[in-house]
């Protein structure tokens, strides 16, 4: 039973408004700073209303033709690297996890449960624990400053494999028998039945993994040393590496605003599927 009282509604809305303001205010400050000159941004107090340099600052950020210290890589190129990295990581994780879960649930082979527990145990190992050996392998294979080096070490997901396995275990045995009676082989059953049933889970996982891939910082920081392979998160860090006084904060803020757009678009465009994938339990 939900209790409806006017003062409770007002309190709820007040808390929500405060929460939105706390989250949105830094984004607003970033946007305002991206529309002024660098001199206006560092003066005290900083202007709180948008300025007239919006188009110039964003064009400069996208082209990389700026005068300040730090990296001068084009933000357009950085965003392409981030987009490719995020897409390969998210789609690769979904594909590998689906196939791994399918094998674990529907095939009987020696040490099947041992493989499952080996995958499950990796859930307890954070990336930082295995980042040294992983870097050694990637460096020995000559994959530094490549898309393969940026994505392959992050493309497997124990979490996604576990989630898909749990989902496949809920698929009724009658459905499997019906597919077998109709002459469907294992891959036909996987393609025509399991994959369509998993669409909402795949959509939710895609949103989560796309944002995970887009926001990667530590791993790209290790494996990229050339400006043309910087993801946008590393690019922002490199743009402010020349010292506070020489940093063009208006261009940095414009780059930060541009870096927010793709993840925000993915969440907005897939919001319906994302929510449904998290809460839908119908099979």
């Amino acid at each position: 039973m939900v209790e409806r009282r006017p003062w409770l509604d007002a309190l709820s809305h007040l808390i929500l408004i405060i929460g939105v303001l706390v989250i949105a205010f830094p984004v607003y400050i970033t946007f305002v700073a991206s529309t002024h000159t660098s001199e206006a941004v560092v003066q005290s107090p900083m202007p709180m209303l948008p300025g007239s340099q919006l188009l110039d600052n964003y064009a400069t950020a996208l082209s990389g033709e700026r005068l300040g210290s730090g990296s001068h890589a084009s933000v357009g190129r950085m965003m392409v690297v981030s987009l490719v990295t995020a897409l390969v990581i998210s789609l690769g994780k979904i594909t590998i996890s689906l196939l791994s879960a399918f094998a674990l649930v529907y095939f009987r082979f020696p040490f099947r449960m041992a493989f499952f527990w080996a995958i499950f145990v990796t859930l307890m190992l954070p990336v930082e624990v295995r980042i040294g050996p992983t870097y050694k392998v990637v460096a020995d294979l000559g994959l530094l400053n490549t898309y393969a080096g940026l994505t392959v070490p992050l493309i497997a997901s124990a979490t996604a494999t576990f989630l898909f396995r749990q989902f496949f275990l809920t698929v009724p045995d009658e459905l499997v028998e019906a597919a077998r009676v109709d002459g469907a082989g294992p891959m036909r059953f996987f393609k025509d039945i399991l994959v369509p049933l998993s669409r909402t889970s795949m959509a939710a996982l895609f949103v989560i993994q796309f944002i995970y891939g887009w926001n990667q910082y530590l791993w790209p920081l290790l494996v990229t040393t050339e400006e043309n392979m910087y993801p946008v998160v590393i690019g922002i860090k490199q743009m402010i590496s020349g010292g506070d006084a020489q940093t063009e904060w208006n261009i940095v803020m414009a780059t930060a605003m541009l870096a927010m757009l793709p993840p925000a678009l993915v969440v907005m465009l897939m919001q319906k599927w994302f929510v449904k994938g998290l809460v839908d339990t119908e099979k």
Side-chain angles (χ1 to χ4, degrees), residues 10-27:
L11 179 62
S12 302
H13 283 86
L14 179 63
I15 293 173
L16 287 173
I17 291 171
I18 292 174
V20 169
L21 289 176
V22 168
I23 294 171
F25 186 68
V27 179

Side-chain angles (χ1 to χ4, degrees), residues 27-218:
V27 179
Y28 176 74
I29 291 296
T30 304
F31 173 72
V32 170
S34 71
T35 62
H36 287 278
T37 61
S38 58
E39 292 79 10
V41 172
V42 297
Q43 74 181 13
S44 181
M46 191 191 102
M48 295 302 291
L49 294 175
S52 59
Q53 301 297 311
L54 185 145
L55 294 179
D56 291 340
N57 289 344
Y58 282 80
T60 302
L62 285 170
S63 65
E65 297 174 353
R66 62 190 189 85
L67 302 175
S69 59
S71 172
H72 287 70
S74 159
V75 175
R77 169 67 185 176
M78 295 179 195
M79 293 186 72
V80 170
V81 174
S82 290
L83 182 63
V84 172
T85 303
L87 286 175
V88 172
I89 289 175
S90 54
L91 296 177
K93 278 180 181 285
I94 292 172
T95 303
I96 293 174
S97 301
L98 271 173
L99 292 171
S100 303
F102 177 58
L104 288 170
V105 174
Y106 291 101
F107 289 85
R108 300 291 180 266
F109 52 89
F111 307 112
R112 182 170 63 97
M113 290 309 295
F115 283 113
F116 167 70
W117 284 109
I119 294 172
F120 188 77
V121 165
T122 62
L123 284 172
M124 306 169 194
L125 296 176
V127 175
E128 291 76 8
V129 172
R130 50 187 170 82
I131 202 164
T134 306
Y135 175 82
K136 172 66 174 170
V137 172
V138 169
D140 289 347
L141 292 175
L143 296 179
L144 299 180
N145 294 305
T146 65
Y147 284 112
L150 279 170
T151 57
V152 171
L154 304 176
I155 210 169
S157 172
T159 306
T161 302
F162 180 73
L163 292 177
F164 280 125
R165 175 187 178 272
Q166 298 307 108
F167 174 77
F168 290 165
L169 288 174
T170 65
V171 174
D173 293 337
E174 291 80 3
L175 202 56
V176 181
E177 291 300 323
R180 187 174 296 147
V181 170
D182 287 342
M187 293 314 295
R188 179 81 181 274
F189 173 70
F190 174 75
K191 179 172 69 70
D192 291 346
I193 296 179
L194 288 183
V195 171
L197 284 175
S198 308
R199 281 182 301 183
T200 53
S201 299
M202 291 163 60
L205 195 61
F206 175 81
V207 173
I208 295 170
Q209 297 300 340
F210 183 89
I211 295 173
Y212 166 81
W214 185 272
N215 291 334
Q216 276 298 306
Y217 176 77
L218 181 57

